[in-house]
Amino acid sequence: MFDEQWTIQAVREWGDWQLEPYIHDQEERMAQIDYLLTGMMDWNYAQLGNNLNTVLEDEKRLRFMVAVRAIKGGQPVQYALGHAAFYGREFQVDRRVLIPRQETEELVEWVLKDHPSNTKQRVLDIGTGSGAIAVSLNAERTNWDVTGTDISTDALAVAKENAQLYAPAVQLVQSDLFTDVTGTFDIIVANPPYISRGEQSVMDESVVMFEPDVALYADDDGLALYKKMATDLLTFLKPGGAAYFEIGYQQGGKLVDLFGTLPQVTVTLHQDLSGHDRMIKVLREM
């Protein structure tokens, strides 16, 4: 079926053949295959298209085949590859952490747009996971003092690997929300677990099967951790500081009301590129 030597095109065809019984939509199959190949080769999609006749070395061919078999077992393509693109960088990911997503890139972008200069800011990223938010912020604003926290030691191990790659100055602390945090911050960012267990039936099966529960689900219809953070927020957020939260698309009104009960704050609801309520900012007055 294939050439004696395995070209890029040959492995693409092999991958398509292997995945067809599992991913019925060919466009989706090829999207995952090409994501794997560009990630493995450190190419963009134009480079991939221009190198279809390039012979793939054995080590990478075997790595590709192992990754395809992992996808056949239901793994998300990012876990099969071992890294995921986020804000222009490739972050190490595996089953210890959530896969960073485009909506969270938009949260990072909002923070950076609000704070365009490299003037020193003290920043706290709660529930850092892979470190995508904390590391991206510190890589883009090298003079900021950034701390990432997580309740999971496994997640912090992954975050440490990513920090070493892109922003070694990021400090990492094990903490349940604010429990082991000290001092006050100019910027607080959080993408906490916000999914209700009742939503599992409408979630992608690979997310339910492979991504860590501790990073996905929260009690009280997904609102429990926001309520805990709201209780302590003004203890840790400096006057004039701003807190940014990623939220579930159905939670906007409730969370605006929740954080709006805090004294002397302004709460702003922000939509993602799909037009869904996806993040809020809590600005504390001076």
Side-chain angles (χ1 to χ4, degrees), residues 45-63:
Y45 287 98
Q47 289 172 306
L48 179 65
N50 291 331
N51 285 277
L52 294 178
N53 293 322
T54 298
V55 174
L56 198 63
E57 60 190 73
D58 286 346
E59 182 271 329
K60 289 187 176 176
R61 173 175 59 83
L62 291 172
R63 183 182 169 199

Side-chain angles (χ1 to χ4, degrees), residues 110 112 148 179 183 203 232 283 286:
W110 194 9
L112 293 173
T179 302
M203 294 169 62
D232 294 324
L283 179 63
M286 291 293 294

Side-chain angles (χ1 to χ4, degrees), residues 45 57 105 145 182 185 208 212 258:
Y45 287 98
E57 60 190 73
E105 289 185 330
D145 178 3
T182 58
F185 298 85
V208 175
L258 171 67

Side-chain angles (χ1 to χ4, degrees), residues 238-251:
K238 293 179 181 179
Y244 301 78
F245 300 92
E246 184 170 328
I247 66 173
Y249 71 96
Q250 296 177 311
Q251 297 172 333

Side-chain angles (χ1 to χ4, degrees), residues 130-274:
S130 66
I133 293 175
V135 170
S136 296
L137 290 175
N138 205 191
E140 296 292 326
R141 302 284 187 267
T142 54
N143 199 40
W144 287 6
D145 178 3
V146 180
T147 298
T149 71
D150 207 287
I151 195 172
S152 166
T153 55
D154 285 341
L156 288 170
V158 178
K160 183 177 181 180
E161 293 178 15
N162 288 315
Q164 288 172 341
L165 284 172
Y166 303 118
V170 169
Q171 301 170 64
L172 297 168
V173 176
Q174 186 174 12
S175 179
D176 182 1
L177 303 180
F178 291 111
T179 302
D180 293 300
V181 172
T182 58
T184 57
F185 298 85
D186 304 286
I187 300 169
I188 295 174
V189 192
N191 177 20
Y194 56 70
I195 300 173
S196 167
R197 288 278 183 181
E199 297 179 62
Q200 276 194 348
S201 61
V202 296
M203 294 169 62
D204 187 287
E205 185 178 355
S206 67
V207 174
V208 175
M209 288 176 58
F210 288 95
E211 299 201 48
D213 284 9
V214 69
L216 289 171
Y217 304 109
D219 294 335
D220 197 3
D221 293 326
L223 300 175
L225 297 183
Y226 297 107
K227 291 181 178 180
K228 289 182 179 179
M229 287 188 285
T231 300
D232 294 324
L233 184 63
L234 298 188
T235 302
F236 293 92
L237 184 65
K238 293 179 181 179
Y244 301 78
F245 300 92
E246 184 170 328
I247 66 173
Y249 71 96
Q250 296 177 311
Q251 297 172 333
K254 292 178 180 178
L255 290 177
V256 168
D257 290 343
L258 171 67
F259 286 100
T261 63
L262 298 177
Q264 296 183 302
V265 302
T266 301
V267 183
T268 304
L269 179 63
H270 192 75
Q271 284 75 40
D272 62 23
L273 293 176
S274 301

